[in-house]
Amino acid sequence: MKIVPVLDEENGCSSYIIGDEVSGKAAVIDPLKSVGYNHYILTASANGLTIRHVIDTHVHADHYSEAKKLSRETSLIPSMSVNTSAEFAFNPLAEGDTIELGFTTIRIIETPGHTPESISLLVTDSSRSSEPWCIFTGDSLFVGDVGRPDLVDSQQEQVNQAASQQFDSIFRKILPLQDYVEIFPAHFGGSACGGLFLSPKFVSTIGFEKRYNRFLKTDNAADFSRNLMKNLKPAPVTAQQIRNWNLGKSIDT
Ligand SMILES: [Fe+2]
């Protein structure tokens, strides 16, 4: 398995090319408009990989996604959660679905919270083990932080519900993984989708986060939500506009 991170340092956004070096099949996860489709195609090619899937882990609110354009340029259809209300054709992904890239398999795990349609991608490389090796957590579990619950709907009742979903997604679906499983989130550093404690380091492990992530110190949903709200940064004013564009509801950027 090969993982090529493609980072936007200025905005704290992470995207990834993940592929199987034997078959050459690859997927791009959370491609960024700020990077541009050509970079992904050229980088995949330079690594002996061909893009077969373009996946967004959720409808981003802090940056424009390049998934639509990259898909068009590679004659693919973007893949997103079945729960996404996008106004363009996409390949719907649901809990338990798998994407095969040679020896590498991506399994879809629904992890709502940051947004209702958030998914995480659990990855196994059968040439090494039948056990999962890493997980792309989108905006659920970050390095040092967790994804904020207030960017879709800022009304208090909705935010509380989203925070509670985030707790369930992280504690019931992600943290039970083995400690050695690596996490590759969609953000790092100063990203607007995280809070004050989002690390500038873009990769970690389940075990390290279980031990040192301050939001995981409690197994009580109410404490988790309270702590999360207390440490929120101001929401970006363009969040709704960016979400609408990423959903195909507007053409203005
Ligand atoms: Fe996000």
Side-chain angles (χ1 to χ4, degrees):
M1 171 167 51
K2 191 176 253 190
I3 295 176
V4 185
V6 180
L7 307 178
D8 175 344
E9 298 275 353
E10 193 178 330
N11 297 304
C13 297
S14 307
S15 60
Y16 304 92
I17 302 170
I18 172 171
D20 168 52
E21 68 276 31
V22 179
S23 66
K25 294 178 185 171
V28 180
I29 300 171
D30 289 326
L32 305 162
K33 189 172 192 295
S34 60
V35 169
Y37 68 88
N38 222 14
H39 182 85
Y40 294 100
I41 295 171
L42 293 173
T43 304
S45 174
N47 282 277
L49 301 170
T50 304
I51 299 169
R52 297 290 187 92
H53 302 270
V54 178
I55 307 167
D56 261 344
T57 55
H58 62 290
V59 180
H60 300 283
D62 66 312
H63 67 270
Y64 296 99
S65 165
E66 189 74 331
K68 281 176 285 179
K69 201 162 194 178
L70 176 59
S71 299
R72 206 161 44 233
E73 295 296 327
T74 49
S75 304
L76 298 167
I77 297 172
S79 296
M80 306 168 79
S81 162
V82 66
N83 300 316
T84 309
S85 55
E87 299 200 352
F88 52 86
F90 65 96
N91 175 37
L93 301 174
E95 178 85 21
D97 284 352
T98 55
I99 293 172
E100 304 289 341
L101 306 167
F103 289 109
T104 300
T105 302
I106 297 173
R107 178 175 293 275
I108 309 304
I109 300 180
E110 293 180 344
T111 48
H114 175 65
T115 66
E117 78 294 330
S118 286
I119 54 172
S120 294
L121 310 173
L122 185 62
V123 178
T124 304
D125 178 352
S126 63
S127 74
R128 295 294 314 280
S129 167
S130 59
E131 297 291 324
W133 198 354
C134 60
I135 182 167
F136 294 82
T137 51
D139 287 21
S140 54
L141 179 59
F142 287 147
V143 182
D145 200 356
V146 297
R148 61 192 299 167
D150 62 324
L151 293 187
V152 175
D153 188 334
S154 58
Q155 293 179 67
Q156 198 55 51
E157 197 179 329
Q158 301 303 320
V159 176
N160 289 343
Q161 193 185 342
S164 159
Q165 285 182 322
Q166 187 71 298
F167 176 85
D168 284 342
S169 292
I170 292 172
F171 279 79
R172 297 192 206 295
K173 292 192 158 178
I174 296 177
L175 296 187
L177 294 167
Q178 297 285 351
D179 278 1
Y180 57 73
V181 172
E182 294 166 315
I183 69 159
F184 292 92
H187 293 294
F188 62 98
S191 162
C193 281
L196 301 170
F197 302 101
L198 183 57
S199 173
K201 186 174 184 297
F202 70 90
V203 58
S204 185
T205 61
I206 295 288
F208 195 87
E209 293 309 307
K210 259 161 71 175
R211 191 171 288 197
Y212 297 115
N213 186 317
R214 68 177 57 227
F215 296 97
L216 310 184
K217 295 290 182 196
T218 176
D219 57 4
N220 176 292
D223 287 346
F224 172 86
S225 298
R226 214 173 298 117
N227 196 16
L228 188 49
M229 306 301 179
K230 208 169 62 189
N231 291 291
L232 284 181
K233 296 191 292 200
V237 289
T238 51
Q240 210 50 50
Q241 177 193 330
I242 294 174
R243 272 184 60 81
N244 283 340
W245 189 89
N246 285 333
L247 283 165
K249 292 181 177 174
S250 77
I251 53 171
D252 300 330
T253 56

